[in-house]
């Protein structure tokens, strides 16, 4: 696909190496342009729609931070009245999904609205200054959870948002990340082809907030999966299907040391226990999904049946 054919055009204002823009472009291109998009306030919105310009080549509307799901419900109803069967995609960052937008998302899922909600999870409020969100991982340094005498990064585990979504019994749920772009595209296609409430959770590394070089975005995204901190899973009608985990897992240290937001875990003695805690989180996630844990000799891949949700560092 040439640059001029992408449904998010070059010339947007995102930082170099932004995983969010890679993920959003992959997702949009998968739709062949046959979607209507509702976009909550956040990095994706401010970087692609600096008035009076827009990088989007699909119908697009800006909601406020917390109500993309509710606006999408209204857009879907309006299209239905007009006899148009156009998939409606609500999208937001982790703050607009797991924190500020959780009530609207819950309502959309509960009412069984025919909407696909996509969460672009960069694990913080990056747009407004890298503050902690409910999806910030345990011990990550942010501007509101700094490292110092009184704080050692984020003291709370990452909210298990996928399990919260699954509790609403949606038609389709999946996790994806940009390093595995074919997997992401397949899941976006399946989500678009399904009717009813759907949810896609895409991990999108952020060079600015996670503190790595822009050239490392895809590598960091891959390490999240390789370390079992972010298994790639999908559920149809609540039933867990394929899970992609690492054939040979890497230690969480490989993932953590690739990012400046965790650098204190390697230079402070408190980091030894913290890294062991995070490794336990990854191993527990691997066990829940039936994939190899770090240090396992033998593992089982792609189990069927119910399991807990994917979590990244918590
Ligand atoms: S702050 Fe992060 S998410 Fe936002 S545009 Fe920059 S790299 Fe992308």
């Amino acid at each position: 696909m040439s640059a001029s054919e992408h449904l998010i055009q070059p010339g947007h204002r995102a930082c170099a190496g932004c995983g969010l823009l890679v993920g959003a472009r992959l997702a949009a291109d998968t739709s062949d342009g046959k979607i209507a998009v509702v976009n909550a306030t956040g990095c994706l919105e401010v970087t692609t729609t600096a008035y009076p310009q827009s990088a989007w080549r699909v119908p697009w509307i800006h909601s406020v931070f917390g109500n993309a799901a509710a606006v999408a419900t209204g857009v879907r109803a309006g299209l239905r009245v007009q006899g148009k069967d156009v998939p409606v995609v609500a999208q937001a960052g982790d703050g607009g999904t797991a924190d500020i937008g959780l009530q609207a998302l819950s309502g959309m899922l509960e009412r069984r609205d025919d909407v696909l909600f996509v969460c672009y999870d960069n694990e913080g409020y990056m747009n407004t200054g890298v503050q902690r969100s409910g999806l910030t991982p345990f011990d990550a340094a942010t501007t509101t959870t700094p490292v110092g005498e009184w704080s050692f990064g984020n003291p709370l585990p990452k909210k298990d948002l996928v399990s919260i979504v699954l509790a609403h019994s949606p038609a389709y749920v999946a996790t994806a990340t940009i390093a595995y772009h074919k997997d992401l595209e397949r899941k976006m296609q399946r989500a678009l082809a399904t009717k009813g409430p759907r949810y896609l959770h895409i991990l999108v590394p952020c060079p600015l907030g996670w503190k790595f070089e822009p050239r490392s975005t895809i590598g960091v995204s891959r390490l999240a999966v390789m370390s079992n901190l972010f298994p790639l899973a999908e559920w149809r009608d609540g039933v867990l299907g394929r899970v992609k985990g690492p054939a040979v897992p890497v230690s969480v240290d490989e993932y953590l040391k690739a990012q400046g937001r965790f650098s204190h875990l390697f230079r402070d003695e408190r980091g030894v226990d913290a890294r062991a805690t995070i490794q336990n989180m990854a191993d527990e996630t691997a066990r829940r999904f039936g994939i190899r844990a770090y240090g396992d000799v033998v593992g089982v891949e792609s189990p069927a049946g119910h399991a807990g949700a994917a979590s990244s560092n918590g």
Side-chain angles (χ1 to χ4, degrees):
M1 185 177 276
S2 70
S4 64
E5 291 171 322
H6 287 301
L7 295 173
I8 300 177
Q9 287 283 284
H12 55 72
R13 274 92 163 153
C15 310
C18 175
L20 173 52
L21 263 291
V22 175
R25 196 178 68 181
L26 283 168
D29 286 347
T30 302
S31 74
D32 289 332
K34 299 184 186 76
I35 50 172
V37 175
V38 179
N39 206 143
T41 299
C43 269
L44 184 57
E45 172 262 320
V46 298
T47 60
T48 57
T49 58
Y51 184 81
Q53 298 168 326
S54 173
W56 291 89
R57 293 177 58 213
V58 294
W60 185 98
I61 184 171
H62 175 208
S63 73
V64 296
F65 217 140
N67 72 348
V71 172
T73 296
V75 169
R76 187 72 195 91
L79 289 169
R80 192 181 305 115
V81 167
Q82 294 176 48
K84 294 179 180 163
D85 191 21
V86 179
V88 176
V89 178
Q91 57 186 25
D94 44 295
T97 305
D99 298 340
I100 304 171
L102 186 58
Q103 179 191 27
L105 173 62
S106 175
M108 182 209 101
L109 297 167
E110 179 186 332
R111 291 187 303 267
R112 309 206 62 73
D113 291 326
D114 184 24
V115 171
L116 165 60
F117 194 104
V118 181
C119 172
Y120 292 105
D121 181 9
N122 59 19
E123 302 189 325
Y125 290 91
M126 304 312 184
N127 171 45
T128 50
V130 192
Q131 298 95 345
R132 177 198 173 275
S133 82
L135 295 192
T136 299
F138 175 66
D139 267 346
T142 70
T143 53
T144 49
T145 57
V147 177
E149 187 181 352
W150 299 103
S151 165
F152 197 60
N154 177 31
L156 302 174
K158 180 172 178 135
K159 191 184 292 185
D160 188 355
L161 181 59
V162 174
S163 285
I164 294 171
V165 169
L166 282 166
H168 293 75
S169 303
Y172 183 86
V173 176
T175 60
T177 190
I178 55 175
Y180 300 86
H181 65 99
K182 288 290 178 199
D183 178 75
L184 192 163
E185 289 165 347
R186 255 193 313 272
K187 286 169 175 169
M188 184 70 185
Q189 278 165 357
R190 284 186 195 132
L192 287 171
T194 303
K195 291 288 181 193
R198 296 96 85 195
Y199 179 82
L200 184 54
H201 192 108
I202 306 178
L203 185 72
V204 288
C206 162
L208 182 90
W210 297 20
K211 303 190 192 321
F212 59 77
E213 292 295 322
R215 65 174 178 270
S216 302
T217 304
I218 299 298
V220 169
S221 170
R222 185 174 295 114
L223 283 171
V225 178
M226 295 292 289
S227 61
N228 278 323
L229 287 167
F230 194 83
L232 304 177
E234 70 177 349
W235 295 257
R236 292 174 194 241
D237 295 320
V239 178
L240 179 66
R242 285 171 66 238
V243 180
K244 262 187 199 286
V248 181
V250 300
S251 141
V252 296
D253 284 2
E254 298 302 309
Y255 178 67
L256 301 173
K257 70 187 178 193
Q259 305 166 58
R261 63 178 175 161
F262 296 114
S263 60
H264 55 291
L265 301 183
F266 296 90
R267 63 169 188 264
D268 186 303
E269 61 184 25
R270 287 176 289 177
V272 176
D273 283 348
R275 280 156 42 212
T277 300
I278 296 168
Q279 185 64 62
N280 284 338
M281 290 174 173
D283 291 348
E284 177 55 26
T285 300
R287 271 189 288 279
R288 286 161 65 194
F289 281 90
I291 54 181
R292 289 169 194 258
Y294 182 64
D296 274 2
V297 177
V298 177
V300 181
E301 293 182 53
S302 304
H306 288 275
S311 66
S312 176
N313 189 355

